[in-house]
Amino acid sequence: MNILLLSQVKLPPMMEIITAEQLMEYLGDYILDAKPKEISEIQRLNYEQNMSDAMAILHKLQTGLDVNVKFTGVRVFEYTPECIVFDLLDIPLYHGWLVDPQVADIVKAVGNCSYNQLVEKIISCKQSDNSELVSEGFVAEQFLNNTATQLTYHGLCELTSAVQEGELCVFFRNNHFSTMTKYKGQLYLLVTDQGFLTEEKVVWESLHNVDGDGNFCDSEFHLRPPSDPETVYRGQQDQIDQDYLMALSLQQEQQNQEINWEQIPEGISDLELAKKLQEEEDRRASQYYQEQEQAAAQVQQVQGAPSLASGRQSGSNERKRKEPREKEREKEKNSCVLL
C-alpha cells in the first residue's frame, strides 16, 4: 500500500488515521480498476483467475504472507499463492539473503533449497549415518546462524545491481516487508518505525550494510538526523524487531543445547519433526523474552534509567515516566499500529 500511495492510490486530504479494513478496501478497488482493457480472451481469463486468487488471500495481508526465499537470487522465491498479489499489482519483490557463490562448501550445502527445504535438510542430515551428509548439514546450519540478519553482503551487492534507478519495490527481510527504492545508485527503505512518528522530516533510511545502521534522509534524500534522538531511541526500543530477536535467540538455544534425539519417535516424517522442533524453539524463545524483560525491569527498579539527552534526570522521575510507558508497551503487544 505504501508503494501504491507513492505512485497510484490517493487518500482523502487531511486523513491521519486509517484502519486495516479501509486499506483492504482501497487495495481491492485498485486491483479491480487495474484490470487491463485490450487483452485477448485467454489473457482475460488468466487475469480474472489471478484476481480471484488474490482477492481470496487479501485478508492475510493484515497478519502476514507466506513467503519462502531461495538463496540463489534476489528475485527468487518459492512460488506460493501469496505471490500472486505482487504479480497482479506489478510490484517487484526482493530479498538479500544470498549465498556467496565463491564459498563452494556453502553453495554445495545449500544448493537450490528454499529456506523451509533447507531447515528440513539440516534435520535430515543430522540424523544420517553418512559423515559427509552430517558435515553438509552442519555447514548449512552455520550459514543460517551466521546470516541471522537475513541479508548478506553478496546479497546487498546483487540488490544494488538488480534494483532499477527510481524503482519502487518491496524488500523482504526478517518476516517484514519494507518499501524500497533506489536513488543515485543508493538503496533506501521507507521509514515506518513508530519511533519516527513525530519526525516529519525523516522519510528514508539508507541500506548500505547488513547491520541496519543506515543514514536518515528527508523526502528529497538529503541527510536529516532526527530532531529528538531521545524520543526516537525510546520509540525504537519499544518496537524492537521481534522476529530478528527470535532468530538470534533460537540460534543461541541451538548452540547451547543439544536436542535429545532419543526422545523423538521413530518413523516420524521430516515435516512433522520440523514442526515439533519449531514448537519447542518457540517455547524457548518465549521463555527467553520473559527472562530478558524481567531482568531489564529489575535493573530499572534498582538503578533508574537516566535521560538519554541530558543524563541528569533523577531515578524517581524516570520511574514515574516509565510507568505509563510500561502500560503502553503492554498495549502495543496486543495491537498493530499502521503508519
Side-chain angles (χ1 to χ4, degrees):
M1 278 306 299
N2 281 334
I3 289 178
L4 294 178
L5 288 170
L6 289 170
S7 56
Q8 306 289 338
V9 176
K10 302 296 181 184
L11 297 180
M14 306 304 292
M15 174 179 282
E16 295 184 358
I17 298 176
I18 186 168
T19 65
E21 289 75 15
Q22 289 174 313
L23 278 177
M24 294 303 100
E25 290 178 6
Y26 276 102
L27 184 58
D29 291 342
Y30 178 81
I31 291 177
L32 294 174
D33 294 339
K35 180 180 178 180
K37 307 300 180 186
E38 299 179 1
I39 55 176
S40 66
E41 181 66 15
I42 295 179
Q43 290 175 323
R44 183 185 65 81
L45 292 175
N46 184 55
Y47 183 88
E48 289 179 352
Q49 180 61 51
N50 289 340
M51 185 169 61
S52 176
D53 294 340
M55 290 294 188
I57 63 170
L58 280 186
H59 66 282
K60 292 186 178 181
L61 292 175
Q62 301 183 50
T63 55
L65 293 178
D66 181 15
V67 175
N68 192 15
V69 306
K70 289 192 172 184
F71 306 96
T72 54
V74 294
R75 292 292 304 273
V76 183
F77 295 83
E78 181 183 288
Y79 181 79
T80 58
E82 287 80 355
C83 293
I84 294 176
V85 177
F86 296 96
D87 295 337
L88 199 63
L89 297 172
D90 196 25
I91 294 177
L93 177 62
Y94 292 92
H95 73 90
W97 201 0
L98 301 187
V99 170
D100 189 335
Q102 296 182 352
V103 186
D105 58 338
I106 298 180
V107 171
K108 179 182 177 182
V110 174
N112 194 41
C113 292
S114 67
Y115 172 78
N116 291 344
Q117 291 170 338
L118 187 60
V119 171
E120 293 180 6
K121 178 179 179 179
I122 292 172
I123 296 172
S124 177
C125 287
K126 283 186 174 181
Q127 300 178 72
S128 175
D129 295 330
N130 188 320
S131 60
E132 184 177 347
L133 288 178
V134 172
S135 176
E136 196 169 292
F138 175 77
V139 171
E141 186 177 36
Q142 284 298 108
F143 168 73
L144 294 183
N145 291 343
N146 295 334
T147 58
T149 61
Q150 297 187 5
L151 177 64
T152 63
Y153 277 106
H154 174 68
L156 185 56
C157 291
E158 291 294 307
L159 270 176
T160 305
S161 175
V163 177
Q164 301 299 310
E165 183 73 16
E167 179 181 6
L168 287 171
C169 53
V170 171
F171 176 56
F172 177 76
R173 181 183 185 186
N174 289 329
N175 293 333
H176 278 69
F177 299 87
S178 302
T179 301
M180 183 168 66
T181 192
K182 185 177 181 181
Y183 179 75
K184 292 186 176 181
Q186 172 66 56
L187 297 176
Y188 292 90
L189 301 178
L190 190 67
V191 175
T192 57
D193 191 282
Q194 184 175 347
F196 296 89
L197 186 59
T198 59
E199 295 287 337
E200 298 181 358
K201 300 295 185 179
V202 177
V203 180
W204 299 98
E205 181 181 7
S206 63
L207 179 64
H208 59 266
N209 60 44
V210 301
D211 299 321
D213 53 343
N215 299 318
F216 297 110
C217 304
D218 60 16
S219 59
E220 302 296 326
F221 299 97
H222 299 143
L223 286 178
R224 181 72 64 172
S227 59
D228 188 355
E230 179 182 3
T231 301
V232 172
Y233 175 80
R234 187 166 60 241
Q236 287 179 309
Q237 292 303 307
D238 290 345
Q239 200 170 5
I240 294 174
D241 191 329
Q242 294 298 323
D243 292 311
Y244 173 65
L245 287 181
M246 177 171 287
L248 292 179
S249 66
L250 292 182
Q251 288 162 15
Q252 292 173 358
E253 290 290 336
Q254 291 172 355
Q255 294 172 356
N256 297 333
Q257 298 185 20
E258 290 294 334
I259 297 174
N260 189 351
W261 298 99
E262 297 179 354
Q263 296 180 356
I264 298 177
E266 295 184 1
I268 188 172
S269 68
D270 289 344
L271 181 59
E272 292 174 337
L273 178 58
K275 289 180 178 179
K276 288 182 178 296
L277 293 176
Q278 186 62 55
E279 291 174 357
E280 176 63 18
E281 289 173 342
D282 289 344
R283 183 190 66 78
R284 293 175 180 173
S286 177
Q287 181 179 356
Y288 173 80
Y289 294 143
Q290 292 176 1
E291 293 175 353
Q292 292 298 311
E293 290 179 356
Q294 291 174 358
Q298 292 175 358
V299 170
Q300 291 174 1
Q301 290 175 358
V302 173
Q303 298 179 346
S307 170
L308 182 65
S310 65
R312 292 191 296 269
Q313 295 292 336
S314 67
S316 60
N317 290 337
E318 184 64 22
R319 284 194 293 272
K320 291 179 180 178
R321 288 190 297 168
K322 282 186 177 292
E323 288 178 359
R325 196 178 306 154
E326 293 297 333
K327 294 179 180 178
E328 291 176 1
R329 287 199 183 110
E330 292 298 324
K331 181 179 179 181
E332 288 172 3
K333 288 179 182 178
N334 301 316
S335 63
C336 177
V337 179
L338 296 175
L339 303 178

